[in-house]
Amino acid sequence: MLIAALGTVGKPFLRDKFLHLLVLLGVILTLFQPAKITQFPQFVDWDTIVTLLGLLMLTKGVEVSGYFDFVGRKMINAIDNERRLALFLVMAAAVLSTFMTNDVALFIVIPLTITLKKLTSLPVTRLIIFEALAVNAGSLLTPIGNPQNILLWNKSGLSFLHFIGQMAPLALITLVALLVVTWFCFPSHSLKKLESNQGYPFQKRLLVCCVALYAVFIACVDLELALYGLLAVILCFLLLARDVLLRIDWPLILVFIVMFIDVRLIVGLPALQPAFAQIQGLPDYGHYLLSIGLSQVISNVPATILMINYLPSGALLAYAVNAGGFGLAIGSLANLIALRMANDKKIWLRFHYYSFPFLLFSGVAGWLLLALFAK
């Protein structure tokens, strides 16, 4: 039984090509900085890893309880029009991301969306793409919507409402554009309901435990006791539903760990130090384009951490790194979470069909807004 369990957990690691690519990049970068191997544990933001792991476990627990099946059926009975359902879920993802952070919003909306695949003819893959775009658009509004805004808010000295006022124009324009595109990409016709016996039996006890543990875990994270919260979650699943622990996307956790290491190795390359020294001398549009470009290469959170050493944490940097969450999937860690949760190889290419136009739109809109307010 133990060997079978190990095989179940181990197979996803062997099939994960994105993880293999990140590991290969890390090995190559390490060849240029071998002395930093001992610093690898320090490069990883373990609080983020613990938080992500806890949320993955709790979300999977709710999924295994069968609750998403229950809610999905209720939703289909209430909204049987494809366009209206798509608009509702996209808007829900955006709103949730403004006060629950973009990754938590995805942990709620995407499992529910995947459940709908078993119940209707809804194009789930396309909808998950739009939900990923929605959390990027919604989370840029508030200081707590995403990790880069938390950092920028703490450094800026702005009040909570002042920060929202600063970000509101870009958030509003981007979200309206997304809703318009959603309207045209999802036709207005009745959903075909599918007869399916798939799904888990509804387990009320497991659901209640997951909800209670969610509150405990979030409180522990707020109190900087995330590790204790994670231990409580693991203990609960060991007692109630051990299969939940086996069905977690463990390679995703390793992807995040390797990404933290790779980014620090890239930033530490001696050959790049002269280039970093010239950042402050760039004009405003240079700072803006560089922040967007770095977000596309190393993700917008590491890009923010890097650029905040050279630029004030004002609207220019905030607009750039949030716009940089669109485009390549790596532009935002939320994109990676959404695409991984979809469990569909084709979604990675399709995502960029929609995300690159939004990168161009939000990037241009952000620059025009900055120019307008500067006057």
Side-chain angles (χ1 to χ4, degrees):
M1 184 178 294
L2 178 60
I3 295 176
L6 291 175
T8 301
V9 175
K11 285 181 181 178
F13 288 92
L14 298 176
R15 294 196 299 259
D16 198 317
K17 292 182 174 59
F18 184 61
L19 173 59
H20 299 163
L21 181 62
L22 289 175
V23 171
L24 178 60
L25 175 61
V27 170
I28 295 173
L29 292 170
T30 302
L31 293 177
F32 294 95
Q33 306 170 78
K36 291 189 176 180
I37 292 178
T38 58
Q39 301 177 38
F40 282 2
Q42 302 171 31
F43 292 168
V44 180
D45 187 339
W46 292 109
D47 288 337
T48 297
I49 298 300
V50 169
T51 302
L52 176 62
L53 181 55
L55 291 172
L56 280 174
M57 288 181 178
L58 291 168
T59 304
K60 181 60 68 174
V62 175
E63 179 184 333
V64 170
S65 76
Y67 187 66
F68 288 130
D69 284 3
F70 173 76
V71 173
R73 290 188 176 92
K74 291 286 187 180
M75 185 177 295
I76 293 303
N77 291 331
I79 310 175
D80 62 354
N81 179 278
E82 180 176 319
R83 177 178 290 164
R84 288 201 296 269
L85 183 58
L87 287 169
F88 173 79
L89 289 170
V90 168
M91 193 64 192
V95 172
L96 286 173
S97 68
T98 63
F99 62 90
M100 296 185 71
T101 74
N102 50 13
D103 50 358
V104 175
L106 289 173
F107 286 133
I108 294 173
V109 176
I110 289 186
L112 175 59
T113 304
I114 293 173
T115 296
L116 297 177
K117 186 176 183 179
K118 298 181 293 185
L119 305 176
T120 72
S121 58
L122 187 71
V124 170
T125 298
R126 190 192 317 156
L127 184 53
I128 290 176
I129 292 172
F130 276 75
E131 289 167 352
L133 299 175
V135 298
N136 284 323
S139 66
L140 71 85
L141 175 64
T142 67
I144 59 173
N146 52 50
Q148 68 267 21
N149 278 4
I150 293 174
L151 176 61
L152 290 167
W153 178 44
N154 289 333
K155 294 286 186 179
S156 68
L158 297 176
S159 68
F160 190 90
L161 292 178
H162 193 170
F163 188 94
I164 291 177
Q166 170 186 274
M167 303 303 296
L170 181 60
L172 179 61
I173 289 176
T174 305
L175 183 56
V176 168
L178 178 60
L179 292 175
V180 170
V181 175
T182 303
W183 175 277
F184 286 105
C185 288
F186 293 87
S188 179
H189 59 60
S190 298
L191 289 169
K192 179 182 177 182
K193 297 183 181 180
L194 304 178
E195 293 295 332
S196 174
N197 293 322
Q198 297 180 13
Y200 305 103
F202 184 61
Q203 303 176 49
K204 188 173 182 180
R205 182 184 178 191
L206 179 58
L207 173 65
V208 172
C209 287
C210 287
V211 172
L213 280 171
Y214 181 86
V216 171
F217 183 71
I218 294 299
C220 287
V221 172
D222 287 340
L223 296 172
E224 299 182 356
L225 299 172
L227 183 58
Y228 293 99
L230 178 63
L231 292 176
V233 171
I234 293 174
L235 179 61
C236 179
F237 286 129
L238 284 174
L239 296 174
L240 288 179
R242 296 180 183 179
D243 59 320
V244 170
L245 301 179
L246 295 176
R247 299 172 66 168
I248 298 300
D249 188 358
W250 292 105
L252 177 61
I253 301 299
L254 191 54
V255 162
F256 273 72
I257 292 174
V258 177
M259 279 187 63
F260 278 118
I261 295 173
D262 285 358
V263 168
R264 290 293 297 270
L265 289 174
I266 291 172
V267 172
L269 286 172
L272 296 180
Q273 298 309 309
F276 291 147
Q278 298 178 24
I279 290 178
Q280 284 184 317
L282 294 174
D284 285 347
Y285 70 85
H287 292 149
Y288 189 75
L289 293 175
L290 179 59
S291 299
I292 293 178
L294 283 174
S295 297
Q296 296 298 291
V297 177
I298 63 175
S299 191
N300 54 7
V301 175
T304 304
I305 295 172
L306 172 63
M307 294 300 292
I308 208 167
N309 293 311
Y310 307 98
L311 301 179
S313 54
L316 186 147
L317 181 56
Y319 276 28
V321 295
N322 278 284
F326 299 104
L328 289 174
I330 199 175
S332 169
L333 298 183
N335 296 338
L336 299 179
I337 292 173
L339 301 185
R340 291 290 295 253
M341 292 179 73
N343 195 26
D344 181 351
K345 294 181 180 179
K346 295 181 180 179
I347 196 175
W348 293 86
L349 181 61
R350 294 176 181 174
F351 171 80
H352 295 97
Y353 177 79
Y354 296 99
S355 63
F356 275 117
F358 271 94
L359 172 63
L360 179 61
F361 176 82
S362 60
V364 172
W367 182 251
L368 292 176
L369 288 170
L370 290 170
L372 178 63
F373 292 139
K375 296 179 180 180

